[in-house]
């Protein structure tokens, strides 16, 4: 096919004239397409005819795609197929006339997929909102390597939830098309839910924070300099929730003979261990067998990033086992297999049991709520404070960051065991 094949002259005006290829006749009523190029100049008409031919081929091939999903996977298959034909994949608009002709000749008589590949009519799909978390996860892969399956779920769920909430509001639009107006509309929607009591302000803010973080990753990847549409959308929160300790009298109720008998043995042992170690529930529930050192001169547990990620670097520590905690771990020397990667299931069971059996009081900071098993950690901290345990040792036992530079190795197991023996049940 040459340029002159697409040109005819009527009077002083040049027209584009092209026979409809057989594979595209289903889209046209006549065997030819013909329209004015709106020029009397042959050279200009030739150039316009080249562009018109590209446009017509693009239109027909786009129609031929029908309802096929223009997914990233489809695009990648098309690019690879183009290589097998001996060409580098380029969008149709970037093909020179000579390149276009060569590709048409090379694919003559071949399936339409080959023509699509060679002529670059399948556009690379734009990154859309439903891809935001996948892009964010890819950029943060190094940060999730050590997370357990449960920790990974806990980490990703808020991002996916935020992504889905925005899609429900604005649609699955291209990420780059998200505007500040979309962000403000989201805030207005979340604010209404906060006003109605359906959503807490901190939960609403977490949604916009997650979206903002995902946008930042995308903007860096796509080299977008536009302002973050989800920035500074926070809704004013009420006084931050403060966890209260479980009062000592309630801990004594838990420890009364028979008080926890109807709680399954693993959950009961978890409660007893938490009372005397001050650990985060997940640290005890997910502890690995090699980190339970009952055969040591001083029985203890080791909080380590084995099979899971720790909250902070300072969370790594050794805690002596005393009293009911030692008895509990002797019953489960290999850990809590039933709940090892389901800590929320264990804590939900425990919290429900404690509440239903009046073993925890109402939460003074959350009307209608009750204290949870996590508050045993705060009770442990209060016992350390009441015993005037030095701050350095207390922080080490709690797994808290030490203010200022850390010097020395801290108290050894023998020292901390003596301290805990004095405050344990």
């Amino acid at each position: 096919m040459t340029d002159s094949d697409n040109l005819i002259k009527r009077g002083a005006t040049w027209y584009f004239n092209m026979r409809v290829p057989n594979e595209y006749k289903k889209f046209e009523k006549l065997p030819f397409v013909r329209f004015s190029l709106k020029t009397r100049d042959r050279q200009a008409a030739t150039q316009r005819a080249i562009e018109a031919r590209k446009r017509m081929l693009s239109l027909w091939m786009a129609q031929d795609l029908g309802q096929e999903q223009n997914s990233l996977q489809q695009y990648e298959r098309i690019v690879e197929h183009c290589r097998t034909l001996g060409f580098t994949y380029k969008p149709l608009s970037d093909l020179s006339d000579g390149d276009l002709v060569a590709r048409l000749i090379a694919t003559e008589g071949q399936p339409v997929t080959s023509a699509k590949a060679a002529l670059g009519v399948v556009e690379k799909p734009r990154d859309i909102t439903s891809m935001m978390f996948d892009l964010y996860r890819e950029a943060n892969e190094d940060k999730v390597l050590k997370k357990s399956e449960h920790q990974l779920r806990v980490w990703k769920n808020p991002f996916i939830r935020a992504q889905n909430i925005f899609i429900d509001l604005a649609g699955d639009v291209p990420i780059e098309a998200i505007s500040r107006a979309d962000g403000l509309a989201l805030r207005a929607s979340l604010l209404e839910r906060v006003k109605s009591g359906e959503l807490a302000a901190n939960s609403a803010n977490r949604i916009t924070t997650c979206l903002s973080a995902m946008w930042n990753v995308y903007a860096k990847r796509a080299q977008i300099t536009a302002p973050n549409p989800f920035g500074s959308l926070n809704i004013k929160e009420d006084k931050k929730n403060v966890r209260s300790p479980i009062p000592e009298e309630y801990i004594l109720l838990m420890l009364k003979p028979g008080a926890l008998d109807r709680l399954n043995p693993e959950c009961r042992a978890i409660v007893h261990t938490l009372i005397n170690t001050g650990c985060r529930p997940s640290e005890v529930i997910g502890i690995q067998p090699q980190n339970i050192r009952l055969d040591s001169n001083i029985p203890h547990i080791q909080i380590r990033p084995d099979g899971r990620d720790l909250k902070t670097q300072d969370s790594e520590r050794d805690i002596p086992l005393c009293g009911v905690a030692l008895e509990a771990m002797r019953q489960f020397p290999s850990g809590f297999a039933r709940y090892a990667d389901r800590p929320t299931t264990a804590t939900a069971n425990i919290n429900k049991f404690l509440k239903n059996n009046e073993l925890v009081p109402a939460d003074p900071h959350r009307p209608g709520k009750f204290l949870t098993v996590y508050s045993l950690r705060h009770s442990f901290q209060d016992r350390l404070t009441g015993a005037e345990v030095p701050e350095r040792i207390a922080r080490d036992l709690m797994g808290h960051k030490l203010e200022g530079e850390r010097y020395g190795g801290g108290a050894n197991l023998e020292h901390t065991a003596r301290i805990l023996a004095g405050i344990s049940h």
Side-chain angles (χ1 to χ4, degrees):
M1 182 185 295
T2 64
D3 297 341
S4 59
D5 292 333
N6 295 135
L7 290 175
I8 60 172
K9 193 173 185 181
R10 287 191 170 180
T13 303
W14 288 98
Y15 280 75
F16 175 75
N17 184 73
M18 180 179 178
R19 180 182 292 277
V20 179
N22 289 335
E23 63 266 37
Y24 302 130
K25 285 182 177 179
K26 57 189 173 183
F27 302 126
E28 301 294 339
K29 294 181 179 180
L30 300 175
F32 288 86
V33 290
R34 184 177 300 162
F35 49 84
S36 172
L37 294 170
K38 299 180 180 179
T39 182
R40 298 183 177 187
D41 181 75
R42 172 65 185 259
Q43 185 175 357
T46 299
Q47 184 60 40
R48 292 181 186 182
I50 292 171
E51 295 302 319
R53 186 172 62 204
K54 288 180 181 180
R55 288 197 303 272
M56 287 307 306
L57 286 170
S58 178
L59 173 63
W60 286 326
M61 291 180 183
Q63 287 177 285
D64 204 40
L65 282 172
Q67 299 301 313
E68 292 181 31
Q69 184 181 6
N70 191 17
S71 65
L72 183 60
Q73 291 77 14
Q74 180 197 37
Y75 174 78
E76 290 171 346
R77 285 195 300 269
I78 288 288
V79 171
E80 183 58 34
H81 185 54
C82 188
R83 292 194 188 102
T84 67
L85 297 171
F87 300 104
T88 300
Y89 189 86
K90 294 179 181 179
L92 182 63
S93 58
D94 292 347
L95 295 178
S96 67
D97 188 52
D99 198 6
L100 177 62
V101 171
R103 291 176 185 232
L104 284 169
I105 293 172
T107 57
E108 186 175 359
Q110 292 195 28
V112 69
T113 303
S114 297
K116 294 175 188 175
L119 300 178
V121 298
V122 179
E123 293 185 5
K124 183 176 181 179
R126 300 169 75 183
D127 294 327
I128 52 180
T129 307
S130 55
M131 297 169 62
M132 285 181 78
F133 175 72
D134 289 335
L135 298 173
Y136 184 78
R137 165 75 183 268
E138 181 182 325
N140 288 277
E141 194 64 34
D142 59 317
K143 297 179 182 178
V144 300
L145 290 176
K146 293 183 179 179
K147 292 188 182 295
S148 67
E149 184 179 341
H150 168 76
Q151 288 178 317
L152 190 58
R153 284 197 304 271
V154 171
W155 175 76
K156 74 179 183 180
N157 283 348
F159 291 97
I160 294 175
R161 177 173 181 251
Q163 175 179 286
N164 290 340
I165 286 173
F166 182 74
I167 290 173
D168 286 344
L169 181 70
D172 199 3
V173 297
I175 303 173
E176 64 191 51
I178 298 173
S179 66
R180 182 60 174 175
D182 293 322
L184 293 172
L186 173 67
R187 185 185 186 278
S189 173
L190 294 175
L191 183 57
E192 287 302 312
R193 294 174 64 183
V194 170
K195 288 178 179 178
S196 69
E198 178 188 348
L199 196 66
N202 64 328
S203 297
N205 290 337
R206 189 170 191 185
I207 291 167
T208 55
T209 298
C210 286
L211 287 166
S212 178
M214 290 189 288
W215 166 269
N216 284 337
V217 164
Y218 173 77
K220 183 177 180 180
R221 174 180 179 271
Q223 297 183 323
I224 293 174
T225 57
N228 188 326
F230 302 108
S232 303
L233 294 179
N234 276 8
I235 295 170
K236 185 177 179 180
E237 298 180 19
D238 294 332
K239 183 178 178 181
K240 191 171 182 179
N241 286 338
V242 178
R243 289 187 188 270
S244 299
I246 294 177
E248 186 68 13
E249 59 266 30
Y250 280 90
I251 294 177
L252 293 175
L253 283 177
M254 294 180 203
L255 294 174
K256 285 182 65 174
L260 301 181
D261 281 359
R262 288 184 292 110
L263 189 59
N264 76 68
E266 287 193 34
C267 285
R268 184 164 62 245
I270 290 167
V271 172
H272 285 165
T273 304
L274 294 175
I275 287 173
N276 281 354
T277 61
C279 288
R280 300 175 180 92
S282 61
E283 293 173 336
V284 168
I285 297 167
I287 196 166
Q288 299 295 302
Q290 67 270 22
N291 296 326
I292 301 171
R293 307 305 300 273
L294 297 175
D295 56 348
S296 170
N297 289 336
I298 299 174
H300 62 283
I301 55 175
Q302 299 173 323
I303 307 303
R304 298 287 188 273
D306 292 340
R308 61 187 300 276
D309 199 13
L310 295 182
K311 185 173 183 179
T312 66
Q313 288 184 342
D314 298 282
S315 296
E316 189 169 317
R317 62 202 190 279
D318 295 347
I319 306 175
L321 293 168
C322 300
V324 294
L326 178 57
E327 294 172 14
M329 293 312 303
R330 280 176 174 161
Q331 292 175 38
F332 294 94
S334 297
F336 306 101
R338 180 176 179 178
Y339 297 109
D341 199 37
R342 297 190 302 144
T344 52
T345 301
T347 54
N349 289 345
I350 293 169
N351 289 334
K352 182 178 179 180
F353 181 89
L354 296 179
K355 175 189 172 184
N356 290 345
N357 290 276
E358 300 182 350
L359 295 174
V360 285
D363 189 332
H365 300 290
R366 298 187 304 161
K369 303 290 185 179
F370 287 78
L371 295 185
T372 67
V373 69
Y374 194 99
S375 287
L376 288 173
R377 179 168 163 81
H378 293 261
S379 305
F380 182 81
Q381 172 68 75
D382 279 357
R383 296 208 301 280
L384 292 175
T385 302
E388 299 182 352
V389 174
E391 183 180 4
R392 164 69 184 271
I393 297 175
R395 284 182 174 273
D396 284 349
L397 285 168
M398 295 293 293
H400 287 159
K401 183 177 180 180
L402 184 67
E403 297 297 328
E405 190 169 352
R406 178 180 286 274
Y407 290 96
N412 58 30
L413 273 174
E414 186 177 358
H415 188 172
T416 52
R418 287 199 299 270
I419 290 173
L420 294 190
I423 64 170
S424 291
H425 292 283

